[in-house]
Amino acid sequence: MKAAPLKILVTGGKGFIGSAVVRHLINETRHSVINVDKMTYAATEGSTQSIADSPLYEFEHADICDIDCITEVFAEHAPDAVMHLAAESHVDRSIDGPAAFVQTNLIGTFTMLEAARAAGVQRFHHISTDEVFGSLGPNDPAFTETTPYDPRSPYSASKAGSDHLVRAWGETYDLPVLLTNCSNNYGPFHFPEKLIPLVTIRALHGEPLPVYGAGDNIRDWLHVEDHAAALVAVVERGTPGETYNIGGKAERTNLEVVETLCDLVDEIAGPLDSGASRRSLITFVADRPGHDQRYAIDQTKIQRDLGWEPKHTFDTGLRSTVQWYLDNQPWWQPLSDKQATERLGLKK
Ligand code: NAD
């Protein structure tokens, strides 16, 4: 049976994952959406263009740290539920400039909790990351919902702090909170500073592909559309007070990911002018400070309790993502040009 339609306030719905959630809600459910976004560098209009004319969709340009503005948004729209994704999300940026992470991820979450509490929402779903659990050794078991927190970067520490605030508002004020911690996402509308789009674009242009350290850091990859479906299952059917881990069962070293991307771009776009494989573009560079070695997610709980599992395999999902970047150059080229002037390196 379909869940009754909810009015859902989504924060950060112009970003990578938030826009996938908004598109999923509008295209696949009967829920309506109020998308609240500050339009930082990470936001794009194109990510919600396909659903922008839906009568079930509204956009509010607002900063989640601005309590007066957010209180007005709650008063005007009276949402039933909040899906809170707005955040500063990029580990390298958090090392260069942690202040914005403390501000948005901690103060912004605090502001959203206070506004949601005053408005009496039925559900407050906080979207977090597996990075709060720290770094695994090669033979350690995957993160579960009860793994102790051990954040090691300014990004993961600010997200861990926001998770603690959310749980405290649940315990102390009976706010009906739900939390999810997810592994690395990939897919369409991923900002070109992150590993998979960055490598795809640089490989396409025949540019060097810098890889941190020995490229042996391991991430567990999930297609963003599978993440969006999991998040909607949690907001609809999750039990308030509970946390759900979400992962892709697709652990890969960064080097494996980069090599697979090279092979896919060679196959889909044709070889380099020299005839060499794009693997020849791989260049090992100094490692990121405090680079977590391995993340892996045990997703037994969400699979068992909510019946969710990923639909994309990493192989098919990565292939369709590379094809998407080849087909959507007008979306990423201006972002890529802008960021090329900012910095060089592989991200996340
Ligand atoms: P993103 O950087 O692509 O998008 C973030 C969005 O939040 C942008 O649209 C931005 O404009 C908005 N935003 C930032 N500050 C704001 C503010 N003060 N007020 C209102 N809006 C603001 O991030 P993403 O990769 O889509 O991640 C979304 C969420 O999912 C984050 O909370 C992140 O921690 C979490 N997450 C991400 C991943 C991943 O692999 N990308 C994995 C697990 C969890």
Side-chain angles (χ1 to χ4, degrees):
M1 201 177 69
K2 290 267 179 204
L6 298 169
K7 206 186 250 197
I8 304 181
L9 190 159
V10 178
T11 68
K14 294 276 187 180
F16 169 47
I17 301 173
S19 68
V21 169
V22 168
R23 295 192 303 274
H24 183 100
L25 286 167
I26 297 297
N27 290 330
E28 312 285 335
T29 78
R30 295 181 297 147
H31 305 308
S32 56
V33 172
I34 307 111
N35 182 357
V36 174
D37 201 299
K38 185 185 173 185
M39 301 303 291
T40 70
Y41 81 95
T44 63
E45 287 297 347
S47 63
T48 53
Q49 203 172 10
S50 64
I51 52 82
D53 292 335
S54 165
L56 296 177
Y57 175 76
E58 289 175 273
F59 175 67
E60 292 282 0
H61 188 180
D63 182 344
I64 57 161
C65 300
D66 181 341
I67 186 70
D68 295 337
C69 187
I70 293 299
T71 302
E72 256 178 54
V73 170
F74 273 87
E76 190 186 332
H77 296 281
D80 304 304
V82 172
M83 297 177 81
H84 176 39
L85 294 101
E88 290 293 336
S89 69
H90 185 33
V91 177
D92 285 349
R93 283 182 189 259
S94 84
I95 295 168
D96 294 345
F101 288 72
V102 172
Q103 179 67 15
T104 298
N105 300 357
L106 285 165
I107 304 297
T109 299
F110 162 71
T111 307
M112 288 302 301
L113 287 165
E114 284 294 81
R117 179 162 80 96
V121 297
Q122 293 167 27
R123 309 201 136 211
F124 187 100
H125 177 183
H126 178 63
I127 285 76
S128 192
T129 166
D130 60 356
E131 301 190 29
V132 299
F133 298 121
S135 184
L136 291 172
N139 300 315
D140 289 339
F143 303 129
T144 71
E145 288 77 4
T146 56
T147 301
Y149 277 28
D150 184 22
R152 291 152 38 97
S153 74
Y155 165 65
S156 55
S158 67
K159 289 297 292 188
S162 69
D163 292 10
H164 291 319
L165 289 177
V166 172
R167 290 198 177 93
W169 261 241
E171 291 292 334
T172 308
Y173 303 113
D174 286 331
L175 190 67
V177 299
L178 298 136
L179 282 91
T180 48
N181 294 86
C182 186
S183 59
N184 276 38
N185 283 212
Y186 68 96
F189 298 108
H190 204 180
F191 198 82
E193 68 187 351
K194 303 283 175 80
L195 177 68
I196 287 179
L198 184 78
V199 167
T200 305
I201 291 166
R202 292 180 70 89
L204 197 58
H205 293 328
E207 292 167 0
L209 306 175
V211 171
Y212 279 137
D216 57 359
N217 304 75
I218 294 172
R219 301 292 178 260
D220 178 4
W221 292 96
L222 178 69
H223 195 283
V224 70
E225 287 161 10
D226 283 324
H227 189 191
L231 296 178
V232 171
V234 169
V235 83
E236 285 178 344
R237 295 180 279 116
T239 304
E242 293 292 325
T243 295
Y244 300 88
N245 277 2
I246 306 170
K249 284 189 190 162
E251 284 188 57
R252 299 285 188 282
T253 66
N254 285 346
L255 185 59
E256 282 172 325
V257 171
V258 172
E259 287 177 343
T260 309
L261 287 169
C262 289
D263 296 347
L264 284 168
V265 176
D266 279 344
E267 183 192 322
I268 299 173
L272 292 168
D273 290 343
S274 65
S277 154
R278 283 178 170 79
R279 288 187 184 214
S280 63
L281 301 170
I282 293 172
T283 313
F284 295 95
V285 299
D287 209 351
R288 165 196 278 166
H291 202 176
D292 289 339
Q293 182 57 32
R294 174 176 168 241
Y295 305 137
I297 282 275
D298 180 341
Q299 58 182 30
T300 309
K301 179 174 173 179
I302 188 169
Q303 210 161 335
R304 183 194 60 217
D305 292 1
L306 302 182
W308 171 86
E309 57 184 342
K311 290 195 172 125
H312 296 265
T313 64
F314 188 62
D315 292 345
T316 57
L318 201 62
R319 177 177 286 275
S320 64
T321 300
V322 169
Q323 187 67 56
W324 187 91
Y325 277 89
L326 265 57
D327 294 342
N328 287 275
Q329 187 159 355
W331 178 79
W332 56 258
Q333 188 71 58
L335 306 172
S336 179
D337 290 346
K338 196 166 163 216
Q339 92 130 28
T341 58
E342 275 183 31
R343 57 167 65 220
L344 175 75
L346 286 186
K347 322 299 182 196
K348 195 155 177 191

